[in-house]
Amino acid sequence: MKVIITVKGLAHSSPRDDLTKVDLLDADAAENVIETFAPDWVIHCAAERRPDAAEQDRERAQKLNATVPATLADLSSKYNFVLVYISTDYVFDGTSPPYEVDDAPNPLQFYGQSKRDGEIAILRDRPNGQRIVLRVPILYGPADKNADTAVNTLIDVLQDQSGKKYNMDHYATRYPTNTLDIASFLRRLVEKCSPTLSDPSDPDSSKVEPAITTLPPIIHYSAAEPFTKYEMCLAFAEILRLPHDHIIPDSTAPTGAVTRPRDTKLSTKVVEETLGMDIGAGGFVDYWTAVLG
């Protein structure tokens, strides 16, 4: 039976006609949009996602990645909605993959710590509503510009045939995951958690209880295919039939304040076994072949 979902999209730095501009750092503005729309679910995607930028402006990153989630978690309790906080595989140190949802986080850089602080804020016990941490890996998919994602931007690197050389990470194993697949998973999750009508044609018919009533506090979602960033560049080179001699693989371990973990593969057992759902993630090369080929 079909569940009808009405969506309200919000934005701040990249507003569009179909998105309402809201500064989530303004707690009153955040509450106003929640009170007005009265959502059953809120998917919180806004963050400082760039580790280097987080390191350069720690105060701003902490506000975006930890303070805002705490505000939304309080609103989830006050207005009784389900809050999904999009977190990251970078809460782990990358030394013992695959990571289960209850493995101990150990972020290696400030970005990962700020996201972990957001998780702690989300998971603090509150009455009413439900709050879930959804950890995901490096993302790709539709974007206004390639520089908006750490994967799409590699296309620009490949297409720069000016003679400039690029050192490309060939140390860390990543699991690039399509934002469209995550959106599809979240829609399926909302549908499984929503009551339906016994007779969809009759709005007065009795309600059927949802398949899922209580959600696990932490969920991992990830595609399964492993790539280093250099290997992603090779895949783009094959799809676009462009030379890649200007991209130099770098297999040395990163150092410094913004070091990256080696392999933070996320176990998806909770999705597949606890929730009884398919991951449904498409192939990296298949997607990009359809988009670029």
Side-chain angles (χ1 to χ4, degrees):
M1 283 174 272
K2 188 174 183 180
V3 175
I4 298 174
I5 299 174
T6 302
V7 177
K8 184 178 186 66
L10 308 179
H12 179 61
S13 59
S14 301
R16 300 197 311 256
D17 290 343
D18 58 336
L19 299 174
T20 300
K21 185 171 183 178
V22 177
D23 182 0
L24 294 177
L25 292 173
D26 182 340
D28 290 337
E31 180 165 10
N32 181 63
V33 74
I34 293 294
E35 185 176 21
T36 302
F37 187 65
D40 297 306
W41 289 66
V42 170
I43 313 299
H44 176 49
C45 308
E48 176 50 77
R49 62 168 183 81
R50 302 162 299 174
D52 293 310
E55 184 62 37
Q56 290 167 7
D57 192 343
R58 289 190 169 202
E59 182 179 0
R60 178 178 179 275
Q62 188 70 12
K63 287 179 179 178
L64 285 171
N65 294 350
T67 304
V68 169
T71 298
L72 293 176
D74 289 341
L75 293 175
S76 166
S77 177
K78 181 175 180 178
Y79 292 98
N80 196 27
F81 60 81
V82 180
L83 173 64
V84 179
Y85 169 62
I86 306 296
S87 191
T88 174
D89 57 343
Y90 269 28
V91 299
F92 297 114
D93 60 18
T95 60
S96 303
Y99 289 94
E100 304 294 343
V101 296
D102 54 356
D103 284 337
N106 184 34
L108 298 181
Q109 75 292 105
F110 182 77
Y111 162 71
Q113 184 59 58
S114 69
K115 293 296 287 184
R116 177 56 185 161
D117 290 344
E119 292 185 355
I120 292 169
I122 289 288
L123 296 173
R124 183 168 62 82
D125 188 43
R126 296 172 176 86
N128 306 318
Q130 292 191 67
R131 287 149 293 278
I132 302 112
V133 169
L134 177 63
R135 293 179 182 141
V136 298
I138 191 170
L139 304 176
Y140 68 91
D144 291 338
K145 54 185 182 295
N146 285 337
D148 287 341
T149 93
V151 174
N152 296 30
T153 195
L154 300 178
I155 298 170
D156 294 339
V157 171
L158 177 69
Q159 291 178 327
D160 180 3
Q161 299 287 322
S162 65
K164 179 181 178 180
K165 299 291 185 181
Y166 292 86
N167 286 328
M168 190 58 60
D169 179 33
H170 195 39
Y171 169 82
T173 299
R174 315 298 295 276
Y175 299 84
T177 298
N178 197 324
T179 55
L180 295 176
D181 292 332
I182 297 172
S184 174
F185 164 72
L186 286 169
R187 182 184 179 93
R188 289 185 285 129
L189 184 63
V190 170
E191 289 174 344
K192 290 197 74 166
C193 295
S194 301
T196 56
L197 296 175
S198 57
D199 181 358
S201 64
D202 179 6
D204 295 322
S205 63
S206 60
K207 287 188 176 182
V208 177
E209 286 299 308
I212 300 172
T213 56
T214 302
L215 288 159
I218 302 176
I219 300 172
H220 288 173
Y221 185 94
S222 175
E225 295 176 294
F227 292 85
T228 64
K229 280 193 173 181
Y230 177 70
E231 289 167 342
M232 294 182 217
C233 289
L234 297 185
F236 286 134
E238 184 172 349
I239 293 168
L240 294 170
R241 300 177 183 175
L242 288 174
H244 55 82
D245 296 344
H246 62 298
I247 303 175
I248 313 302
D250 183 356
S251 300
T252 58
T255 58
V258 199
T259 186
R260 268 71 165 175
R262 180 151 201 175
D263 186 344
T264 51
K265 181 177 182 178
L266 299 173
S267 166
T268 56
K269 285 182 181 178
V270 167
V271 171
E272 296 169 288
E273 298 178 8
T274 305
L275 298 176
M277 299 173 65
D278 293 331
I279 291 296
F284 182 83
V285 171
D286 290 342
Y287 172 81
W288 285 113
T289 300
V291 171
L292 301 174

